[in-house]
Amino acid sequence: MHKLAQQLNEAIERDTPHVYNMLSDLGRKMYFPKEGILSQSAEAKAKATKFNATIGIALENGQPMHLSVIADHLSAFSPKDIFDYAPPAGKPELRSAWRKKLLEENPSLRDKSFGTPIVTNALTHGLSIVADLFVNPGDAVIIPDKNWENYELNFGTRRGAEMVYYPLYNEQQKFNAAGLREAILAQRPKGKAIVLLNFPNNPTGYTPGVEEGKQIVEAIRAGAEAGIDIVAVTDDAYFFLFFEDSMKESLFGSLCNLHPRVLAVKVDGATKEEFVWGFRVGFITYASESEATLQALEQKTMGLIRATISSGAHPSQTFVLHALKSPDFPAQKMEKFHIMKGRANRVKQLLDSGRYRDAWDYYPFNSGYFMCLKLKKVNAETLREHLLNKYGIGTIALGETDLRVAFSCIEEEHLQELFDTIYQGAREVEQESRE
Ligand SMILES: Cc1ncc(COP(=O)(O)O)c(C=O)c1O
């Protein structure tokens, strides 16, 4: 093992032995090279006043060399904020701006100890860093039965985790904290678990209420008290799109500094929140009361970034930073929030009108981009194909009964036509199956 990795491990183990236990084999080996090209180049940036011939970019007239066919369309920004490499952990100013945003939007974080967000190539990459640092083959990754399908590929297929499922809803159609607790406590023999929490949930659009949120935290605390080391990850992809009376903060705030056996990790980003899906700007943030552990986890994360993508795209970091600093940003964001909320409300109004009662129920939703129908009489995949082929309507079939509808993509005035057509389609499929 590299000497630097050993030093990081010693620092983590000294202050936070349970966090050390959570690290995967790869996580233990990981470090950020101190003596390589990046550090020599950083040193030269500060001291090489005559010629700086260190890093693999090209300079001209004291700026990164560039082509006008590209630069002319990006002239609002300085070439150094577009063409040069961003640092592996991301633009420092963007990292601080995101931290400030986290504190503003999550008052429960204000008395907690957590690190500076590290820029990732959007949320998927942040989740893959969690998987690389903390998952060994056979480790349990606990997710609800309704989940984003990519978790399985990332944690299960890629890292060999054992995926453990619990039903998302209980009989009262609330979050099934008892199911989560049971799934966690079942990991006693392993002594370790990774718990993934995603609210607003993909695919259902559900965010628990404040009381349910407390039960989630208690389930994790119970696991820790039973001797299980828990990496508690919040995937806050759809943060801020809370349309009703649910929690309006990330659970990360309540999980920070909860118990020595709990490591809270927040994965979030601009992707869905700021409507910049293709920009690929996300963040990973760790919580620990130990500054040394925060530093070591940051170094290990930077090592993974250096080894995989080297650094994230610079232009999109510049664009997101510019937005965060803009005085118009909050108002523009609220405007889009109200459009999305209007769509969610309209969907609920249509569904609650009773006009589709014989064809489906729907899973409780109050946030995010999606909602999910629970079909009563027809198979979800059969209906999906029928809607696509006969009506040119695209939906997502999940399992036997569930059909996910992204109301985020449909203008409010078209929602009735959309759901009326899905209903019509369901009746046709039902009739065909009888014939
Ligand atoms: C729950 C959830 N997490 C993460 C992501 C991935 O986000 P990104 O595009 O930023 O990688 C998605 C995207 O669909 C998602 O639904």
Side-chain angles (χ1 to χ4, degrees):
M1 190 175 300
H2 194 283
K3 199 168 73 228
L4 287 174
Q6 250 164 14
Q7 286 168 3
L8 298 176
N9 293 345
E10 279 161 22
I12 295 175
E13 197 171 14
R14 194 183 322 115
D15 284 9
T16 52
H18 296 295
V19 174
Y20 177 73
N21 288 343
M22 294 172 200
L23 289 171
S24 67
D25 293 343
L26 176 60
R28 286 184 191 167
K29 285 185 205 147
M30 213 18 92
Y31 65 96
F32 185 73
K34 279 238 160 60
E35 284 153 12
I37 294 168
L38 293 188
S39 66
Q40 292 182 32
S41 149
E43 208 181 330
K45 209 169 191 175
K47 293 196 212 153
T49 45
K50 180 112 179 122
F51 298 125
N52 182 0
T54 55
I55 195 97
I57 69 164
L59 298 174
E60 193 179 22
N61 304 321
Q63 289 188 333
M65 191 178 276
H66 52 269
L67 308 180
S68 336
V69 281
I70 298 173
D72 287 355
H73 297 278
L74 299 164
S75 54
F77 298 98
S78 157
K80 74 174 175 22
D81 291 321
I82 296 288
F83 298 106
D84 200 354
Y85 285 121
K91 278 174 91 73
E93 213 187 336
L94 174 63
R95 298 180 61 196
S96 319
W98 197 262
R99 195 176 197 281
K100 184 165 160 271
K101 174 179 172 299
L102 292 186
L103 283 164
E104 281 163 9
E105 294 175 341
N106 298 276
S108 63
L109 274 175
R110 290 182 191 159
D111 57 348
K112 304 288 163 53
S113 167
F114 66 101
T116 305
I118 301 162
V119 177
T120 60
N121 191 31
L123 283 94
T124 309
H125 179 220
L127 291 164
S128 86
I129 290 171
V130 172
D132 286 348
L133 282 187
F134 300 108
V135 177
N136 272 335
D139 283 350
V141 172
I142 302 175
I143 56 174
D145 57 352
K146 301 186 194 328
N147 56 65
W148 185 41
E149 64 176 9
N150 209 9
Y151 292 150
E152 272 140 45
L153 205 59
N154 185 0
F155 291 90
T157 311
R158 203 174 62 85
R159 296 290 300 159
E162 182 204 338
M163 304 304 290
V164 175
Y165 304 91
Y166 61 96
L168 175 67
Y169 298 102
N170 62 17
E171 279 176 4
Q172 290 76 46
Q173 297 297 294
K174 299 275 184 199
F175 181 83
N176 178 17
L180 170 63
R181 188 188 186 101
E182 206 177 300
I184 294 173
L185 291 176
Q187 307 313 317
R188 267 201 203 97
K190 288 188 173 154
K192 175 179 175 187
I194 294 93
V195 176
L196 271 179
L197 300 164
N198 164 229
F199 307 119
N201 171 264
N202 177 1
T204 61
Y206 188 66
T207 297
V210 172
E211 272 313 306
E212 296 161 272
K214 286 186 186 152
Q215 291 168 12
I216 295 174
V217 175
E218 286 318 310
I220 290 172
R221 194 202 305 271
E225 283 173 355
I228 305 165
D229 294 328
I230 301 175
V231 185
V233 186
T234 57
D235 171 345
D236 295 330
Y238 302 90
F239 185 79
F240 140 86
L241 293 164
F242 303 114
F243 307 132
E244 295 183 24
D245 197 17
S246 66
M247 293 189 289
K248 294 192 171 60
E249 276 193 54
S250 167
L251 276 176
F252 179 69
S254 319
L255 294 167
C256 279
N257 319 144
L258 178 70
H259 189 284
R261 285 190 189 273
V262 176
L263 174 69
V265 185
K266 187 177 200 307
V267 174
D268 59 14
T271 308
K272 319 267 179 179
E273 271 189 59
E274 332 296 12
F275 313 105
V276 290
W277 308 275
F279 277 23
R280 314 310 297 150
V281 176
F283 301 86
I284 184 165
T285 310
Y286 302 101
S288 174
E289 284 174 283
S290 157
E291 186 55 34
T293 294
L294 289 176
Q295 288 303 325
L297 290 174
E298 176 164 326
Q299 290 290 309
K300 285 177 180 288
T301 301
M302 283 164 62
L304 275 174
I305 291 172
R306 178 67 172 150
T308 51
I309 59 166
S310 195
S311 61
H314 198 161
S316 28
Q317 292 186 41
T318 295
F319 302 156
V320 171
L321 175 61
H322 174 74
L324 292 176
K325 289 197 313 195
S326 164
D328 298 334
F329 176 70
Q332 289 188 10
K333 215 173 145 172
M334 274 324 274
E335 188 191 318
K336 302 301 178 208
F337 170 86
H338 285 296
I339 294 175
M340 299 285 267
K341 181 175 167 153
R343 293 178 191 174
N345 287 348
R346 177 74 183 127
V347 172
K348 217 165 232 189
Q349 191 188 38
L350 285 163
L351 296 172
D352 288 344
S353 68
R355 55 207 284 144
Y356 315 122
R357 194 176 296 128
D358 56 320
W360 59 63
D361 290 323
Y362 67 89
Y363 293 104
F365 69 97
N366 50 20
S367 54
Y369 280 30
F370 310 112
M371 58 80 52
C372 243
L373 300 174
K374 186 173 193 304
L375 304 170
K376 289 182 177 169
K377 298 177 180 158
V378 298
N379 173 273
E381 175 58 15
T382 316
L383 176 58
R384 184 192 72 83
E385 284 176 19
H386 181 76
L387 289 170
L388 200 55
N389 296 332
K390 181 156 182 199
Y391 295 105
I393 287 180
T395 53
I396 300 284
L398 297 165
E400 283 285 302
T401 56
D402 299 350
L403 197 73
R404 190 187 77 176
V405 180
F407 58 76
S408 54
C409 293
I410 312 297
E411 304 277 356
E412 193 175 323
E413 70 263 32
H414 297 141
L415 285 165
Q416 175 160 0
E417 186 184 351
L418 170 68
F419 281 93
D420 282 356
T421 316
I422 297 176
Y423 180 71
Q424 171 73 17
R427 288 180 57 143
E428 287 160 4
V429 169
E430 188 191 343
Q431 262 156 23
E432 275 166 29
S433 69
R434 285 219 195 97
E435 280 159 10

